[in-house]
Amino acid sequence: MKAVILAGGAGTRLRPLTNNLPKPMVPILNRPFLEHMLDSLAAHNVTDVIITVSYLSDNIRNHFGDNGYANMNIHYVLEESPLGTAGAVKNVEKLLDDTFLVLNGDIFTNLDISKMLLFHNDADSKATLFLKEVSDPSQFGVVEIKGDGYIEKFIEKPNPGETKSNWINGGVYILEPDILQIAPENEFYMFERGLFPTLLETQIPMYGYRNNPYWIDLGTPSNYLRVNHDILNAVDESMIVENRDILNTEGYFAHPSAVIEGPVIVGRDCFIGAGSVIRGPTVIGSGVTIGEDNVISGSVLWDGVKLGHQVILTECILADDVTVDDKVRIGNLCMVASGMNVTADLQPGISLGPTG
Ligand code: GTP
């Protein structure tokens, strides 16, 4: 089966982390998210992956190259200007000749795609959407379905009481190529507000595949931290099995008086100075230098970060090559852009990048 990955968005909610890295490439436990996604597709008999790119497209192409990945062929299709989620798939229509998969390039899930495909075939569906149950659907695209999963209605971000359904669009679809005929060529077009409602009006059979695997949209700072924490904490046994190799720590040097507590992953060639405490769940990238008497908890540090002495990091995200001066405190959900030097405390929720 072929899979189309939507990887062209600008990832604005993760700025300034995405200033020079497209969102699908942000590291989850020290590996680009797209590698995790491709590994999981390879396990479900996907043979060809079409990555639709636009924002910072070279970064993705340069990383994976032109020789495929995990025995899958990779094709890159560039949009000069973003075409939207359904427009991006319409744009690769000529590469699609059979039932295919579409995935948002920012959803971390261990959904069983093979079972979803069986459901799609059994239902004789033209478009099957993976639906995830949430307690508060008010910020999501909600889908109303019949008992057998037949889709009756889409409601974007419903007001309280507007729907009884708690099933949201999980950003993974199995589609038949002929449904793309109704999509406009070379126009910005979305699944949620364009293609799916139009299919509904024309009574093309669409089904919701209801399932509750691990699922998270990593596109906000809190969710980005959470997915790293969840994998380290192994909230779901199948995640830890699939990701066991990445939980091994690589070679690093820690002073004997340094303390590492709880689930922590440390990349290659790191140095952890005397008296520093690292509390999990925390991710330390490669080539990171941590001075003396620092306290780091619940944070994600990308490669090449350099911390002075007596620095306190709490649930924050530091991108590649950030340096932090002595005694600086960086609080919850702060994000610091690649290459920045942090000279003063950052209060919770404050981001630091070249544009402020
Ligand atoms: P925000 O700017 O923070 O909303 O992020 P985003 O636009 O990058 O992602 P969003 O959650 O809105 O989109 C879901 C997925 O679709 C992401 O993986 C995006 O990369 C991808 N995507 C969004 N718009 C486009 C587009 O115009 N073209 C392509 N190829 N992919 C897109």
Side-chain angles (χ1 to χ4, degrees):
M1 184 164 60
K2 290 182 178 171
V4 181
I5 299 180
L6 302 169
T12 47
R13 289 164 298 162
L14 273 188
R15 289 215 172 123
L17 301 176
T18 47
N19 280 358
N20 44 15
L21 195 66
K23 181 167 63 172
M25 294 301 284
V26 297
I28 306 293
L29 269 68
N30 289 340
R31 292 175 70 212
F33 165 68
L34 262 186
E35 283 192 13
H36 296 270
M37 181 175 259
L38 292 182
D39 285 345
S40 117
L41 294 181
H44 287 287
N45 299 322
V46 170
T47 53
D48 289 78
V49 177
I50 301 159
I51 308 183
T52 62
V53 289
S54 182
Y55 178 71
L56 300 175
S57 57
D58 285 351
N59 188 295
I60 296 178
R61 191 172 193 140
N62 291 343
H63 182 83
F64 290 102
D66 293 320
N67 296 324
Y69 179 90
N71 290 325
M72 297 181 294
N73 301 311
I74 300 188
H75 315 260
Y76 304 91
V77 179
L78 175 69
E79 291 151 48
E80 295 298 342
S81 62
L83 288 170
T85 49
V89 178
K90 174 72 177 176
N91 192 42
V92 300
E93 189 177 13
K94 58 187 174 310
L95 300 174
L96 303 166
D97 48 9
D98 204 351
T99 309
F100 64 99
L101 187 64
V102 177
L103 303 110
N104 280 0
D106 56 359
I107 299 294
F108 196 111
T109 180
N110 56 3
L111 171 70
D112 188 332
I113 289 160
S114 304
K115 281 194 183 151
M116 181 170 162
L117 180 62
L118 286 177
F119 172 87
H120 174 85
N121 290 336
D122 285 351
D124 227 358
S125 175
K126 285 285 190 183
T128 300
L129 284 63
F130 156 55
L131 304 183
K132 163 85 184 155
E133 197 172 24
V134 295
S135 50
D136 174 13
S138 61
Q139 294 308 310
F140 296 98
V142 177
V143 184
E144 288 186 358
I145 46 212
K146 284 188 185 167
D148 62 354
Y150 188 89
I151 293 179
E152 294 187 303
K153 197 171 178 185
F154 293 98
I155 309 158
E156 277 298 307
K157 300 190 179 168
N159 294 317
E162 200 181 336
T163 177
K164 288 199 175 96
S165 174
N166 278 9
W167 293 98
I168 62 159
N169 174 355
V172 180
Y173 318 122
I174 294 178
L175 308 178
E176 295 301 318
D178 53 348
I179 63 164
L180 294 174
Q181 284 165 13
I182 63 164
E185 300 261 4
N186 273 319
E187 257 180 48
F188 187 89
Y189 196 53
M190 296 295 279
F191 278 116
E192 305 82 345
R193 292 184 293 278
L195 185 67
F196 291 150
T198 307
L199 289 175
L200 200 65
E201 276 167 27
T202 44
Q203 298 189 326
I204 303 277
M206 276 191 290
Y207 283 81
Y209 177 66
R210 286 160 289 180
N211 207 268
N212 278 313
Y214 181 81
W215 177 92
I216 193 166
D217 164 358
L218 55 91
T220 62
S222 57
N223 281 4
Y224 174 71
L225 275 176
R226 206 170 102 206
V227 66
N228 281 280
H229 291 179
D230 283 349
I231 303 173
L232 284 171
N233 286 330
V235 291
D236 183 313
E237 192 56 28
S238 67
M239 290 169 61
I240 191 107
V241 172
E242 283 166 23
N243 292 291
R244 194 179 295 285
D245 56 328
I246 53 178
L247 289 175
N248 294 332
T249 51
E250 310 279 355
Y252 65 91
F253 174 81
H255 188 276
S257 63
V259 177
I260 297 182
E261 300 170 352
V264 173
I265 176 170
V266 184
R268 274 189 195 86
D269 302 324
C270 291
F271 174 86
I272 303 169
S276 281
V277 178
I278 303 177
R279 295 200 184 103
T282 281
V283 179
I284 311 280
S286 295
V288 171
T289 305
I290 295 170
E292 296 176 6
D293 299 319
N294 295 326
V295 180
I296 303 171
S297 39
S299 296
V300 177
L301 278 53
W302 297 5
D303 294 346
V305 166
K306 289 194 171 39
L307 307 182
H309 306 305
Q310 297 176 43
V311 168
I312 300 181
L313 304 182
T314 309
E315 306 212 349
C316 61
I317 309 156
L318 309 186
D320 287 343
D321 302 317
V322 165
T323 56
V324 183
D325 287 358
D326 293 350
K327 298 188 179 170
V328 163
R329 293 162 178 250
I330 303 182
N332 291 56
L333 299 179
C334 289
M335 298 186 285
V336 181
S338 164
M340 297 299 294
N341 176 217
V342 191
T343 56
D345 291 357
L346 289 183
Q347 297 305 318
I350 299 295
S351 291
L352 187 66
T355 51

